[in-house]
Amino acid sequence: MSMIAAFYGSKSILITGATGFLGKVLMEKLFRTSPDLKVIYILVRPKAGQTLQQRVFQILNSKLFEKVKEVCPKVHEKIKPIYADLNQKDLAISKEDMQELLSYTNIIFHCAATVRFDDPLRHAVQLNVTATQQLLFMASQMPKLEAFIHISTAYSNCNLKHIDEVVYPCSVEPKKIIESMEWLDDAIIDEITPKLIAGRPNTYTYTKALGEMLVQQEGGNLNVAIIRPSIVGATWQEPFPGWVDNLNGPSGLIVAAGKGFLRSIKATPMAVADLVPVDTVVNLTLAVGWYTAVHRPKPTLIYHCTSGTINPCNWGKMGLQVLATFEKVPFERAFRRPNADFTTNYFTASCWNAVSHRAPAIIYDFYLRLTGRKPRMTKLMNRLLRTISMLEYFINQSWEWSTYNTEMLMSELSPEDQRVFNFDVSQLNWLEYIENYVMGVKKHILKEDMAGIPEARQHLKRLRNIHYLFNTALFLIIWCLLLARSQMARNMWFFIVSFCYKFISYFRASRTLKI
Ligand SMILES: CCCCCCCCCCCCCCCCCCCC(=O)SCCNC(=O)CCNC(=O)[C@H](O)C(C)(C)COP(=O)(O)OP(=O)(O)OC[C@H]1O[C@@H](n2cnc3c(N)ncnc32)[C@H](O)[C@@H]1OP(=O)(O)O
Ligand SMILES: NC(=O)C1=CN([C@@H]2O[C@H](COP(=O)(O)OP(=O)(O)OC[C@H]3O[C@@H](n4cnc5c(N)ncnc54)[C@H](OP(=O)(O)O)[C@@H]3O)[C@@H](O)[C@H]2O)C=CC1
């Protein structure tokens, strides 16, 4: 019997960010392995015209939860959505709800965050720092609380090359940053942001670092642990391989590459692609929750959930495998045939962007205009290139994360728990994982059916023919222009034509002689 599963069996659990990528997989695993748990409270806000109940209904009726409904048929009754907005003071939780949460919560998993790289500092601080502070304050009033698990990111200290499982201080105290956000105006915040984030590429990584500091400073009397996953990707094994439902991290690039929008990228092929499957992160999170509650380690432990030091894969290998999978399972209605040119040179990357990305978009928009339709490709391409420029920082360098605490935790688990809550990435077969990831993107994000593969192949063949035709036409046009304008080009042309003529005559003559 799994000790971890039994531990959660009698608990009331509070999850923030349960509607997000990681949160959904966390809930799924909890219900599947501990179907007797008391309740999972989730802090949710209404979104896109959907009420809380509609959002929960949609999650529970998704493919991800199919197995859960078999082992825990009363899952609808065990999940309690609580109205909350992490952007608001006191998280906008009603008094009654707050009372219930304070009275019954045993474990908190704090996953909610803004993961956008371009968020203004004020917004990123509100979500990743202030909301964390408010949640810690709530936690301090929970008599039954056994553990508070905070999800951070391995990139919170990406200004360093080697990162240990410790909290590194930022130059300004998080509480001072929170205070200053109350009186500074937006223009001044924008001005000081580059100085504050110093060495980091965006407000996301900086505010996650501030969040960690706060958890360490204010979680003093609580049982707190921090988990730092690197780049979280599709599921490896559970509940089935290849589940993914958003475009963050590599998923967006896989879509863009498979659809033929993205054909080259400024990336270092030998740099480590530190990806971790989302089910691995969830297994580690649940094991940390159990260990923190039962063993109450002091001081606060930080756990790196990374793959690079244990089972490294690099971006070059990943790109090739992604491309190989497109051959097997092409995406439908591609704009161009998939390709993956990696370059580390800024100038080459700019040339590829002009030739491979911007020019085809302009030509396609011209075609749309000619056929009376609204042009859209240039706009889409500009957005894609902007996204890529934000990801470039992460795909052109390598980091090294130590994993002593994560290894220690592994050794503390029973063989059964090591199997049920497996977070050992040394067992991961990258080629198989990437193939399943790409197929998952096709199925669960693009909602494409495998039955459409023959048609997708035909479409790619048509694109190849158009490509050859286009290149031939372009060559001929350039050649004719050259012939018209340059004596040297004309000389070369006569030389080539006469050489071919002589060659054919010689070939014919030698055949006649043989006969
Ligand atoms: C050449 C061949 C390549 C072969 C493939 C090989 C794979 C290489 C993979 C490399 C991946 C590297 C990833 C590194 C990530 C490091 C992560 C650090 C770890 C973390 O802790 S952070 C968690 C991850 N967070 C993110 O990934 C967030 C990134 N996204 C953003 O910050 C914003 O979305 C962004 C990029 C600023 C865009 O903002 P905005 O312009 O306002 O637009 P929207 O968000 O509304 O989206 C617009 C449009 O773009 C689509 N979209 C969103 N994200 C991506 C993406 N990552 N890639 C591609 N497309 C994306 C989105 O769906 C929208 O589409 P519409 O059609 O709806 O308009
Ligand atoms: N994805 C990755 O590659 C990595 C993620 N992480 C960390 O993992 C955690 C989970 O990330 P992930 O699941 O990928 O992110 P998602 O963007 O998928 O999910 C974010 C969650 O936070 C919630 N949230 C955001 N703003 C608010 C708000 N104002 N009020 C209430 N809820 C809000 C979202 O709710 P809603 O659905 O309403 O928007 C959603 O449930 C984060 O802490 C992130 O920093 C760490 C490393 C890598």
Side-chain angles (χ1 to χ4, degrees):
M1 170 70 182
S2 155
M3 283 200 301
I4 300 178
F7 167 77
Y8 288 108
S10 55
K11 305 294 180 205
S12 298
I13 299 159
L14 168 62
I15 303 181
T16 70
T19 50
F21 179 45
L22 186 68
K24 280 184 234 175
V25 182
L26 179 65
M27 269 204 297
E28 194 277 340
K29 176 87 183 201
L30 270 168
F31 280 125
R32 189 158 43 81
T33 49
S34 308
D36 295 332
L37 60 78
K38 271 204 196 115
V39 60
I40 297 187
Y41 296 111
I42 60 172
L43 300 191
V44 199
R45 54 181 174 171
K47 200 177 181 185
Q50 283 187 311
T51 61
L52 310 194
Q53 284 69 22
Q54 284 167 333
R55 293 194 73 185
V56 173
F57 185 79
Q58 194 179 28
I59 294 173
L60 294 183
N61 282 302
S62 66
K63 192 168 163 45
L64 182 71
F65 277 76
E66 275 174 7
K67 280 191 185 160
V68 164
K69 283 197 266 177
E70 285 168 22
V71 285
C72 181
K74 290 194 174 162
V75 59
H76 288 88
E77 293 168 17
K78 293 205 175 215
I79 186 164
K80 182 153 185 200
I82 305 272
Y83 178 94
D85 187 343
L86 272 61
N87 281 322
Q88 307 283 322
K89 197 169 175 291
D90 295 331
L91 312 183
I93 301 175
S94 75
K95 270 196 180 146
E96 300 75 53
D97 287 339
M98 184 63 90
Q99 206 45 56
E100 186 171 344
L101 290 176
L102 296 185
S103 308
Y104 299 113
T105 305
N106 301 121
I107 315 281
I108 298 179
F109 292 108
H110 178 33
C111 307
T114 167
V115 301
R116 293 183 67 93
F117 294 154
D118 63 343
D119 247 350
L121 187 63
R122 186 193 294 286
H123 187 248
V125 166
Q126 173 58 43
L127 241 105
N128 297 348
V129 194
T130 314
T132 303
Q133 187 185 41
Q134 290 180 342
L135 201 65
L136 283 163
F137 180 63
M138 268 174 71
S140 69
Q141 301 169 66
M142 293 175 172
K144 294 188 179 162
L145 190 75
E146 296 171 44
F148 181 106
I149 310 302
H150 176 76
I151 309 293
S152 186
T153 164
Y155 294 93
S156 55
N157 300 293
C158 56
N159 49 326
L160 305 175
K161 279 285 166 229
H162 176 91
I163 301 149
D164 280 318
E165 287 163 308
V166 295
V167 171
Y168 293 90
C170 299
S171 55
V172 184
E173 283 289 313
K175 273 179 260 176
K176 283 205 176 134
I177 297 281
I178 295 175
E179 268 169 39
S180 63
M181 291 298 130
E182 283 162 19
W183 56 270
L184 285 177
D185 71 27
D186 289 346
I188 297 180
I189 295 178
D190 287 348
E191 211 167 290
I192 59 171
T193 299
K195 289 195 185 87
L196 286 172
I197 69 175
R200 294 182 179 82
N202 52 43
T203 54
Y204 168 67
T205 48
Y206 173 63
T207 52
K208 291 299 276 190
L210 288 176
E212 288 182 6
M213 273 180 85
L214 205 75
V215 169
Q216 200 184 41
Q217 290 170 354
E218 305 210 348
N221 298 323
L222 305 167
N223 267 323
V224 200
I226 297 174
I227 298 176
R228 287 186 184 147
S230 46
I231 302 169
V232 184
T235 52
W236 169 18
Q237 290 164 322
E238 294 178 80
F240 50 85
W243 183 82
V244 56
D245 77 340
N246 74 21
L247 288 173
N248 286 340
S251 313
L253 294 201
I254 292 174
V255 170
K259 291 284 184 184
F261 296 118
L262 176 70
R263 290 168 52 93
S264 68
I265 194 163
K266 184 170 177 295
T268 306
M270 292 314 286
V272 175
D274 209 302
L275 230 70
V276 272
V278 62
D279 44 341
T280 305
V281 182
V282 161
N283 287 344
L284 174 69
T285 303
L286 292 174
V288 168
W290 161 79
Y291 185 78
T292 312
V294 173
H295 294 272
R296 304 178 160 254
K298 285 277 170 231
T300 301
L301 290 186
I302 289 119
Y303 300 85
H304 281 164
C305 190
T306 54
S307 59
T309 43
I310 305 151
N311 181 5
C313 176
N314 61 43
W315 293 115
K317 181 172 166 182
M318 177 170 238
L320 285 178
Q321 183 61 5
V322 167
L323 213 57
T325 312
F326 292 150
E327 292 280 323
K328 273 195 198 169
V329 280
F331 290 0
E332 291 171 16
R333 293 184 299 277
F335 173 58
R336 293 185 68 197
R337 280 183 314 144
N339 187 32
D341 282 323
F342 282 52
T343 172
T344 50
N345 182 287
Y346 176 78
F347 179 72
T348 320
S350 307
C351 289
W352 277 124
N353 271 347
V355 176
S356 250
H357 298 140
R358 291 191 201 279
I362 293 170
I363 293 169
Y364 187 71
D365 274 353
F366 181 65
Y367 162 75
L368 287 181
R369 268 183 221 277
L370 279 184
T371 50
R373 283 174 287 174
K374 206 174 155 210
R376 59 192 158 83
M377 197 51 75
T378 313
K379 202 171 153 198
L380 201 150
M381 200 57 89
N382 286 340
R383 269 177 109 162
L384 178 66
L385 295 181
R386 181 174 162 263
T387 297
I388 286 160
S389 69
M390 286 186 217
L391 300 182
E392 270 172 11
Y393 176 89
F394 299 96
I395 49 183
N396 281 289
Q397 45 188 325
S398 303
W399 288 264
E400 202 181 83
W401 288 275
S402 63
T403 51
Y404 300 115
N405 290 339
T406 307
E407 283 162 36
M408 175 280 295
L409 180 60
M410 179 81 78
S411 68
E412 291 286 320
L413 301 193
S414 67
E416 176 68 352
D417 277 333
Q418 286 183 354
R419 188 185 63 78
V420 181
F421 295 91
N422 177 21
F423 52 86
D424 179 8
V425 281
S426 68
Q427 299 165 11
L428 184 77
N429 175 336
W430 282 110
L431 296 186
E432 196 181 280
Y433 174 69
I434 295 164
E435 184 170 313
N436 286 330
Y437 194 156
V438 174
M439 289 207 271
V441 165
K442 179 174 169 72
K443 274 192 229 162
H444 311 297
I445 297 183
L446 297 172
K447 313 273 182 225
E448 291 183 4
D449 195 6
M450 292 298 162
I453 288 178
E455 169 53 29
R457 281 216 175 93
Q458 280 304 319
H459 179 72
L460 289 182
K461 270 191 193 154
R462 279 195 293 274
L463 286 179
R464 188 195 54 197
N465 295 340
I466 292 172
H467 176 79
Y468 288 153
L469 211 71
F470 180 83
N471 279 1
T472 315
L474 194 69
F475 174 78
L476 288 177
I477 291 168
I478 294 173
W479 190 234
C480 290
L481 284 176
L482 270 174
L483 281 185
R485 285 166 180 265
S486 148
Q487 185 58 45
M488 202 166 102
R490 279 194 291 273
N491 291 346
M492 257 174 76
W493 180 237
F494 287 128
F495 175 76
I496 293 168
V497 170
S498 62
F499 180 80
C500 290
Y501 178 76
K502 277 182 193 151
F503 181 75
I504 292 168
S505 314
Y506 170 79
F507 186 68
R508 274 197 187 150
S510 61
R511 276 191 65 186
T512 323
L513 275 177
K514 266 186 199 164
I515 294 164

